[in-house]
Amino acid sequence: SDKQKEDLGMSTADAEAGGEVQITHPERVVFPKQKLRKGDVADYYQRMARWILPEIAGRPLSLLRCPDGVGKACFFQKHHGPGLGDAVHAVPLQQKSGREDYVYIDDTRGLLQLVQMNTLELHPWGATVADPEHPDRLVFDLDPGEGVSWAQVKAGARDVRDRLQQVGLKSFVRLSGGKGVHVVVPLQPKAGWDEAKAFCEAFAQAMALEQPDRYVATMSKAKRGGVIFIDWLRNTRGATSVCSWSLRARDSAGVAVPLRWEELARVSAADAFPMAKALARAKRLKGDPWQGIARLKQTLPRMDL
Ligand code: ATP
Ligand code: MN
Ligand code: MN
């Protein structure tokens, strides 16, 4: 019974399918600075499931797990293993070393079982389990160097959007919940990873070539201060980006929040939405800030950027 579980220091969260997922040690502190506990994290993901699942269901995932909370050791996990829960599935994917089982979920129950295993951040592939060799999402990850202002980051995101528009691609924006923003391009899964990667690299390099005082397209130059690294390397096979509405395992506890482009102007930082603010935003939302993303039918342009 619930009373017995309380006595054992457990709480339960009703999942839509398959009954409840037991969250052990809900009292355990996960974000010390914000005084948020494992139970708060479980409540958050339960309440946000309807927004998060369309972003991650049926996609290979990297999980950032933090068994001792934020500020202590966290680790990325992409492989399936025992003890993850009955709604956490395995998909065999070909790697250099052979086939390896990757993690994916389909539903709220799976999401909460990941939370039970102390997952804080969810990082999907830009491709689905059903068609892992053909990306259906590209991510341009804008990483501001030292001394780059938030206004410059926002201008950079709009610059990426406008340039994408010029080659016929509509894009969507999200705060990373950390320092930068992600510009996301939905694609019909037609091109392979090599083609997607080549497009993204050429796109980033074109930006860096035209405005070298603002942008760099190589990791080595990214360390140079004052410029934004257009990180196109998220768009390689096996790479991931944090999903919209994921919590971030950082001191500021920002959430990776998707925005309408018009909203970007009013936002003051990439980590402007800690858990409570993200929940409030989700509650207020009338529709998906990325309205129409699932219906867009676009493909990579020819490579003469
Ligand atoms: P920020 O705005 O602070 O840059 P971010 O989420 O974009 O936040 P990055 O460091 O730019 O963080 O990383 C981009 C993405 O690369 C991450 O969201 C994550 O999916 C992936 N990533 C980064 N480091 C690792 C890692 N060690 N293992 C697996 N994936 C990683
Ligand atoms: Mn980034
Ligand atoms: Mn990056």
Side-chain angles (χ1 to χ4, degrees), residues 253-294:
V255 169
V257 168
L259 302 171
R260 287 182 285 117
W261 277 108
E262 312 85 79
E263 292 179 297
L264 186 59
R266 281 183 273 129
V267 173
S268 60
D271 59 358
F273 291 87
M275 184 193 284
K277 271 199 169 171
L279 280 167
R281 170 172 168 76
K283 222 172 178 177
R284 275 197 315 273
L285 280 177
K286 299 248 158 52
D288 187 349
W290 286 5
Q291 192 115 47
I293 192 166

Side-chain angles (χ1 to χ4, degrees), residues 8-29:
L8 291 166
M10 296 176 186
S11 80
T12 55
D14 274 319
E16 72 203 358
E20 9 187 71
V21 174
Q22 220 161 58
I23 302 295
T24 55
H25 300 293
E27 77 291 344
R28 193 179 283 156
V29 174

Side-chain angles (χ1 to χ4, degrees), residues 39-293:
D40 299 316
V41 171
D43 287 347
Y44 173 83
Y45 278 114
Q46 167 128 52
R47 287 158 77 179
M48 299 301 272
R50 63 170 280 236
W51 292 109
I52 294 177
L53 284 170
E55 294 286 304
I56 59 171
R59 294 175 181 275
L61 293 176
S62 279
L63 316 169
L64 185 66
R65 294 173 57 187
C66 304
D68 300 311
V70 173
K72 299 286 189 338
C74 298
F75 59 94
F76 271 100
Q77 174 172 355
K78 60 185 184 182
H79 291 121
H80 193 269
L84 283 172
D86 60 4
V88 180
H89 310 296
V91 55
L93 294 173
Q94 195 63 40
Q95 295 302 106
K96 283 193 195 83
S97 50
R99 282 166 100 71
E100 296 174 9
D101 280 342
Y102 281 65
V103 171
Y104 77 97
I105 61 166
D106 278 330
D107 54 21
T108 306
R109 183 174 171 77
L111 181 59
L112 292 174
Q113 286 178 343
L114 295 179
V115 172
Q116 164 56 14
M117 299 306 288
N118 303 302
T119 300
L120 279 187
E121 299 189 0
L122 298 150
H123 298 250
W125 279 36
T128 59
V129 165
D131 192 359
E133 304 310 331
H134 300 98
D136 64 352
R137 286 270 176 109
L138 303 179
V139 177
F140 290 95
D141 164 30
L142 275 66
D143 288 332
E146 207 67 52
V148 173
S149 72
W150 175 238
Q152 286 172 279
V153 175
K154 293 200 277 191
R158 293 189 195 100
D159 207 356
V160 171
R161 174 196 62 188
D162 295 346
R163 285 166 163 274
L164 286 166
Q165 193 66 64
Q166 281 166 26
V167 294
L169 293 173
K170 202 166 147 51
S171 62
F172 298 82
V173 68
R174 90 172 141 239
L175 308 172
S176 75
K179 290 188 296 196
V181 298
H182 296 171
V183 178
V184 176
V185 181
L187 287 181
Q188 289 194 280
K190 295 208 164 130
W193 283 108
D194 286 349
E195 211 181 313
K197 175 184 165 189
F199 168 78
C200 294
E201 179 175 15
F203 185 91
Q205 275 174 354
M207 283 185 74
L209 197 66
E210 257 176 60
Q211 299 190 74
D213 52 329
R214 290 193 183 187
Y215 307 120
V216 293
T218 57
M219 193 104 74
S220 55
K221 288 185 190 156
K223 289 182 187 70
R224 199 196 294 163
V227 289
I228 297 170
F229 173 40
I230 312 290
D231 185 356
W232 52 272
L233 293 154
R234 307 288 102 235
N235 305 295
T236 58
R237 189 180 183 280
T240 59
S241 306
V242 77
C243 74
S244 295
W245 303 107
S246 176
L247 299 173
R248 303 310 304 264
R250 306 193 185 186
D251 278 348
S252 61
V255 169
V257 168
L259 302 171
R260 287 182 285 117
W261 277 108
E262 312 85 79
E263 292 179 297
L264 186 59
R266 281 183 273 129
V267 173
S268 60
D271 59 358
F273 291 87
M275 184 193 284
K277 271 199 169 171
L279 280 167
R281 170 172 168 76
K283 222 172 178 177
R284 275 197 315 273
L285 280 177
K286 299 248 158 52
D288 187 349
W290 286 5
Q291 192 115 47
I293 192 166

